[in-house]
Amino acid sequence: MSEVQLEKLLIDPPAEFAAQANAKADLYEKAAADRLAFWADEAENLDWFKKWDKVLDDSNPPFFKWFVGGKINACYNCVDRHVKTWRRNKAAIIFEGEPGDSQVLTYDQLYGEVQKFANVLKSLGVQKGDRVTIYMPMIPEAVIAMLACARIGAPHSVVFGGFSSDALRDRINDAKAKLVITADGGWRRGKVVPLKANTDKALEEAPTVEKVIVVKRVGDAAQINWVEGRDLWYHELMAKADRHCEPEQCDAEDMLFILYTSGTTGKPKGILHTTGGYLTQANMTMRYVFDIKDTDVYWCTADIGWITGHSYVVYGPLSAGATVVLYEGGPDYPDKDRFWAIIEKYRVNIFYTAPTAIRTFMKWGLEYVQRHDLSSLRLLGTVGEPINPEAWMWYYKHIGGERCPIMDTWWQTETGAHMVSPLPGITPLRPGTATLPLPGIEVDVVDENGEPAKEGYLVVKSPWPSMMRTIFGGDECYVNQYWSRFNGKYYFTGDGAKRDDLNYIWVTGRVDDVLNVSGHRIGTAEVESALVECQEVAEAAVIGKKHEVKGEAIVAFVILKEGVQPSDELVNKLKKHVAAKLGAFCRPDDIIFTAELPKTRSGKIMRRLLRDIAEGRAIGDTTTLADPGVMAELKEKYASKEE
Ligand code: WT7
């Protein structure tokens, strides 16, 4: 089937699915009739120490508050309340290590571990409000650490284990973290990720950190350095810890976590989320979008270092009392069938992954899929970037066996939880579109002036419970980045979007200087500043070039300093530097040396033209360029590079 036909295809929900679905069609009407009452009802699905006085405080926009006056604890909702029911002995976490080791933690066991670790944190002086940085592999201790922080009201800042020591240092310093939790290492494709060594390096320039707790994961496989008085073994602390720790009665608006993400500036932003509203929407979407049932085994492949891991590995599923699969390693280790092997082994029912992963599996071929019985699956999800209709169809046919509805969920670190998504059993599906805003969510596509349009910018028109509250230490930046584009009226997502004949929303990708490489968000400015740090580089302009598997690939146009000779060695050196500075996933695919960059008369680099060159298109309008001659040279340079 061609792309044109696929984009028009409509797949009606199967009657059997609809009959058992958590979401009922009247949710949309209910939310439209009284949005705040709808959200209040959803919040009732959580356990509150004290109920809120007011659902939404919008007296000081864009600083909105939800469930004002309510008292709640996120850890209590993810653990304690389940232990009081038959779920006490239900599997909370099924862990699969990359080397093949596995472990099951029941809710009651999780309850014990979390309380012990909360006591460990307290004994080291961590108090309510203190920030704790978590830099860990995908192991149960990472989830325990997050929940223990939540239990005592200490906001966590999880830093993805793939980030470099410099990136870790910057995030620790911005958050002024008091403590770091890490591991000796983690397993990735048979190799050790040197988490402890990276932490040591980061801490050379991170004065706020007093203690480091280290989980022993890889043992002798990592040679680690030990700083007496600062470094403490997790297992030694846990052996002495008491199993009882009362959860802190947090305010609904107390900070639950900070999570750093890339924006248009060179510096990552600490997105700040609070407790009651965040948990309400994470929990609600688990029930309605993922249709979670007590009998399900649920697996989201995201790392806890991203928002997807926060909302859909930890807070969403555990608050819903689900059984969550946690996998440590890569999809191709020891072989390219690892994901399918895990689905078969644990009889996974709900599976959530990224389009870039799906495209990779397509490329690897069906052979790996067909080795395994995937008949346990009943619902699929995708997130992170637009999914091309071919990949959607492949996922639908070969993974879902044409039985499983696919939830294409559009949302962001900033939105905290799903925003635009079909509801399974209700929404007719169409490959490539996230379809419609969820009940209680008001999203639109608007033009430059904020007027509804067929094609334009994706905006959110009213506050929602799991919205970011601000940027940590940057209220002004929060207002400028998200609320100034449409004069305080709408939240600006940074995404472009279109509407189709059914009014379905097609998110087309970022319209700002943010790249999406394999579902990872990277600011062009971050890569550019890493490049100009190199003594050979005078100036750099970074763009994203369409890539079959990654979605976008990083291409850097670099002007060298006077007298520096371009060479292949220099290309490699610069690529290596960016990887070391930001993390391996930020390594540029191409570096092109040039004498000039296309700039407007006011000196702004025209990235649009650079993209035209990198993607081999006819070059667009150059009339605003200070020197239109630049383009001919660049085009030639790029062509010779491609040969
Ligand atoms: C950006 C947010 C939210 C979890 C993962 C990424 C893109 C995300 C979709 C989707 C089209 C999507 C957008 C968005 N994006 N999901 N289903 N369809 N685009 O979180 O790192 O904060 O990135 O990812 O461009 O703005 P993030």
Side-chain angles (χ1 to χ4, degrees):
M1 224 185 290
S2 75
E3 182 124 349
V4 184
Q5 285 171 302
L6 279 182
E7 288 179 2
K8 291 273 181 260
L9 195 73
L10 211 55
I11 301 172
D12 279 326
E16 318 83 81
F17 197 104
Q20 61 83 62
N22 289 341
K24 302 290 174 224
D26 65 359
L27 283 176
Y28 291 103
E29 284 154 47
K30 194 183 150 196
D34 190 341
R35 220 170 67 82
L36 296 186
F38 168 82
W39 282 116
D41 273 358
E42 291 306 326
E44 296 277 8
N45 284 287
L46 302 176
D47 281 16
W48 297 78
F49 299 121
K50 175 181 172 286
K51 246 186 99 167
W52 54 91
D53 307 313
K54 198 168 186 209
V55 177
L56 171 67
D57 174 357
D58 54 3
S59 59
N60 182 27
F63 298 93
F64 298 99
K65 292 180 180 165
W66 283 84
F67 307 113
V68 184
K71 294 277 183 198
I72 189 166
N73 184 285
C75 176
Y76 180 94
N77 274 278
C78 290
V79 186
D80 304 35
R81 66 167 175 160
H82 305 311
V83 172
K84 297 179 181 171
T85 70
W86 67 269
R87 288 194 189 111
R88 188 170 101 96
N89 294 321
K90 176 179 174 174
I93 296 173
I94 300 177
F95 168 67
E96 167 104 352
E98 193 187 75
D101 54 324
S102 65
Q103 188 193 344
V104 176
L105 271 178
T106 65
Y107 272 97
D108 195 51
Q109 288 169 324
L110 183 62
Y111 185 46
E113 296 305 294
V114 162
Q115 291 186 89
K116 280 198 284 177
F117 197 57
N119 280 327
V120 165
L121 293 175
K122 278 185 171 175
S123 73
L124 296 175
V126 179
Q127 292 175 0
K128 183 167 184 239
D130 288 342
R131 273 84 57 206
V132 172
T133 296
I134 298 176
Y135 182 61
M136 284 177 88
M138 285 286 283
I139 55 176
E141 290 84 348
V143 179
I144 293 166
M146 289 167 76
L147 292 171
C149 287
R151 191 169 194 85
I152 64 171
H156 52 70
S157 162
V158 183
V159 177
F160 171 52
F163 273 119
S164 64
S165 58
D166 281 9
L168 174 63
R169 176 201 60 205
D170 294 348
R171 285 159 178 76
I172 291 172
N173 286 334
D174 188 85
K176 299 191 178 64
K178 194 167 185 176
L179 187 125
V180 176
I181 307 163
T182 188
D184 53 355
W187 291 112
R188 190 79 193 177
R189 300 201 166 88
K191 295 209 180 84
V192 171
V193 183
L195 297 169
K196 175 65 165 69
N198 288 349
T199 304
D200 288 341
K201 185 133 190 290
L203 293 188
E204 285 170 14
E205 293 169 294
T208 57
V209 175
E210 294 166 13
K211 300 281 180 209
V212 178
I213 301 177
V214 187
V215 176
K216 192 178 252 178
R217 170 63 188 146
V218 300
D220 293 340
Q223 241 121 64
I224 60 164
N225 177 44
W226 202 254
V227 179
E228 285 305 329
R230 185 197 73 182
D231 298 349
L232 302 157
W233 281 115
Y234 178 91
H235 59 270
E236 289 179 2
L237 295 166
M238 289 293 270
K240 290 180 286 184
D242 187 77
R243 201 197 134 104
H244 300 280
C245 173
E246 281 300 304
E248 186 73 33
Q249 302 211 356
C250 297
D251 198 278
E253 282 295 334
D254 276 347
M255 194 192 326
L256 179 59
F257 63 86
I258 309 170
L259 184 59
Y260 288 87
T261 191
S262 296
T264 50
T265 60
K267 210 172 145 263
K269 306 171 287 189
I271 305 300
L272 192 157
H273 281 286
T274 60
T275 311
Y278 170 79
L279 203 62
T280 296
Q281 200 170 326
N283 178 268
M284 177 273 239
T285 47
M286 255 337 274
R287 286 179 286 111
Y288 295 154
V289 177
F290 289 152
D291 195 50
I292 195 80
K293 301 281 177 4
D294 260 318
T295 43
D296 285 322
V297 174
Y298 163 89
W299 184 22
C300 163
T301 64
D303 192 281
I304 48 142
W306 309 113
I307 190 71
T308 310
H310 283 59
S311 305
Y312 298 105
V313 176
V314 182
Y315 292 110
L318 295 180
S319 71
T323 295
V324 178
V325 172
L326 194 71
Y327 171 54
E328 177 186 28
D332 52 353
Y333 194 86
D335 203 354
K336 297 186 171 73
D337 67 340
R338 187 65 185 270
F339 275 17
W340 321 126
I342 291 174
I343 291 176
E344 177 173 308
K345 181 172 174 189
Y346 298 114
R347 311 292 294 140
V348 171
N349 305 104
I350 299 171
F351 178 66
Y352 191 32
T353 196
T356 183
I358 297 166
R359 290 192 298 265
T360 305
F361 301 140
M362 285 171 79
K363 219 171 132 180
W364 287 345
L366 278 179
E367 165 203 350
Y368 299 102
V369 180
Q370 286 163 350
R371 278 188 205 164
H372 298 281
D373 176 4
L374 304 181
S375 63
S376 58
L377 290 171
R378 67 178 194 89
L379 184 143
L380 301 174
T382 139
V383 63
E385 56 182 308
I387 181 164
N388 46 311
E390 279 76 17
W392 194 101
M393 269 330 276
W394 186 91
Y395 196 31
Y396 186 70
K397 258 197 194 149
H398 300 296
I399 306 305
E402 297 184 358
R403 314 176 291 285
C404 308
I406 297 181
M407 298 301 108
D408 175 355
T409 57
W410 177 88
W411 57 296
Q412 309 177 298
T413 305
E414 292 89 339
T415 71
H418 299 157
M419 300 290 281
V420 180
S421 166
L423 285 180
I426 298 176
T427 320
L429 305 176
R430 180 170 269 184
T433 160
T435 74
L436 299 167
L438 289 172
I441 300 295
E442 294 178 326
V443 158
D444 208 352
V445 180
V446 300
D447 65 16
E448 294 285 334
N449 306 315
E451 297 301 326
K454 271 266 165 207
E455 182 161 3
Y457 304 104
L458 189 67
V459 296
V460 190
K461 298 201 291 184
S462 56
W464 63 102
S466 64
M467 68 194 298
M468 68 184 293
R469 298 304 193 257
T470 188
I471 292 171
F472 185 72
D475 285 349
E476 207 179 306
C477 184
Y478 166 64
V479 176
N480 292 338
Q481 290 270 319
Y482 302 101
W483 295 92
S484 64
R485 183 72 185 70
F486 296 100
N487 301 320
K489 198 169 153 209
Y490 298 147
Y491 166 89
F492 177 45
T493 63
D495 280 323
K498 303 190 270 200
R499 295 263 194 191
D500 69 8
D501 53 320
L502 293 173
N503 231 13
Y504 281 4
I505 294 169
W506 292 68
V507 178
T508 49
R510 304 289 304 195
V511 292
D512 53 8
D513 294 326
V514 172
L515 307 180
N516 192 325
V517 180
S518 300
H520 299 327
R521 223 165 119 170
I522 303 165
T524 52
E526 281 174 86
V527 182
E528 287 163 5
S529 21
L531 284 166
V532 296
E533 266 180 15
C534 296
Q535 54 179 32
E536 295 90 348
V537 176
E539 207 179 336
V542 165
I543 56 140
K545 169 187 168 174
K546 274 209 184 70
H547 188 280
E548 210 189 315
V549 174
K550 301 185 198 181
E552 279 185 304
I554 301 178
V555 178
F557 292 84
V558 168
I559 303 179
L560 293 173
K561 284 195 187 139
E562 214 40 64
V564 178
Q565 289 308 313
S567 68
D568 287 348
E569 290 77 66
L570 187 54
V571 167
N572 288 334
K573 184 182 165 192
L574 297 183
K575 285 185 181 177
K576 236 173 124 178
H577 175 79
V578 175
K581 173 82 193 168
L582 300 172
F585 64 97
C586 304
R587 174 193 291 267
D589 276 50
D590 285 336
I591 292 186
I592 292 104
F593 296 122
T594 173
E596 309 260 10
L597 288 167
K599 288 184 187 163
T600 60
R601 274 172 275 268
S602 60
K604 201 172 160 354
I605 295 171
M606 294 190 74
R607 289 200 173 70
R608 169 173 66 77
L609 298 177
L610 292 174
R611 270 194 298 272
D612 288 343
I613 288 185
E615 291 173 1
R617 264 193 306 273
I619 292 169
D621 186 4
T622 57
T623 49
T624 53
L625 278 184
D627 172 12
V630 171
M631 295 311 292
E633 189 218 358
L634 268 172
K635 202 171 170 181
E636 201 178 299
K637 277 263 165 60
Y638 201 83
S640 63
K641 154 107 196 79
E642 292 282 271
E643 273 157 18

